[in-house]
Amino acid sequence: MAQLLFLGRLEDLAGASGMQVPLAGAASLEAVIGQLPAQLAAALGEPRIRLAINGELVGACREAGALMIADGDELAFLPPVSGG
């Protein structure tokens, strides 16, 4: 299982702050995202969504499709921050 964490508006789209996704050993990020509802998966492909794996920022989610996710990994999806 991989633990997915959704922050900001992504939490609203997911309907929860996190979820677990089953893995058979390891899978590409693309395969993990492919298990999610279509609207959420599309939002994660937006250019400004960042990804952290096990607490380490790895960059834009859409550019990380070749990353391999292992059983037990934690993925955090980070939308852009806005404020005033």
Side-chain angles (χ1 to χ4, degrees):
M1 292 277 197
Q3 178 68 34
L4 310 183
L5 302 175
F6 305 105
L7 303 173
R9 67 179 179 80
L10 298 175
E11 181 178 348
D12 294 334
L13 282 173
S17 62
M19 66 176 63
Q20 291 189 341
V21 176
L23 296 179
S28 69
L29 176 62
E30 186 175 273
V32 170
I33 291 175
Q35 296 182 53
L36 302 176
Q39 185 178 9
L40 177 58
L44 296 177
E46 293 175 7
R48 294 177 45 191
I49 301 298
R50 300 290 181 243
L51 174 68
I53 299 178
N54 299 324
E56 183 177 330
L57 189 63
V58 295
C61 187
R62 71 185 291 170
E63 298 167 358
L67 283 176
M68 294 302 290
I69 308 305
D71 191 36
D73 280 349
E74 178 186 83
L75 286 74
F77 297 94
L78 313 163
V81 177
S82 63

